[in-house]
Amino acid sequence: MELRPAVVHRLEVRDFDAASGEFELVVECGGGTYVRTLIVDLARAVGSAAHMVALERTRVGHFATKDDRADAPLVTPVCEEDFSNVQRLYEAMEEAHAVRQEALEREAM
């Protein structure tokens, strides 16, 4: 695999537990960044090893699932249990369409 540069806009350590060595890492990065690989590369850079326990996407493009950034419209994520709820899927599609339209209008200004 050919190496390519990753764009990382923000890297923040939260909730560090010195006893276990566990912490939460908040990463704001460009598209195509492999966060799992980033974790391994960071550990190697400091002469250590690491693995990721969980990955939670809070923002993708114009969409956000948590209020991390004031400029990102919030959307409610669709979960597996929602797949059988046609009304919930319809609402999610309408919500995503409205957010996308709003983003396109902002970009056009």
Side-chain angles (χ1 to χ4, degrees):
M1 176 185 280
E2 184 179 332
L3 295 179
R4 59 186 181 82
V7 176
V8 178
H9 303 286
R10 178 173 149 218
L11 194 62
E12 178 184 343
V13 174
R14 291 185 186 166
D15 302 324
F16 178 70
D17 181 346
S20 68
E22 292 183 5
F23 57 90
E24 179 180 336
L25 186 64
V26 178
V27 180
E28 188 175 316
C29 57
T33 302
Y34 292 99
V35 175
R36 289 176 181 84
T37 302
L38 177 64
I39 300 299
V40 171
D41 290 347
L42 288 171
R44 286 182 181 158
V46 296
S48 187
H51 72 277
M52 189 168 53
V53 175
L55 174 64
E56 178 183 9
R57 293 184 191 277
T58 58
R59 181 183 171 122
V60 177
H62 298 293
F63 302 98
T65 59
K66 289 189 172 183
D67 197 13
D68 282 329
R69 303 251 322 252
D71 65 336
L74 293 177
V75 294
T76 306
V78 175
C79 303
E80 187 174 347
E81 53 268 10
D82 294 327
F83 293 167
S84 61
N85 183 338
V86 175
Q87 181 64 35
R88 171 66 189 112
L89 292 176
Y90 177 78
E91 290 168 358
M93 288 175 24
E94 288 291 312
E95 182 180 25
H97 178 73
V99 168
R100 178 71 178 139
Q101 285 302 112
E102 182 181 309
L104 289 172
E105 290 170 9
R106 276 196 316 253
E107 287 176 2
M109 291 181 183

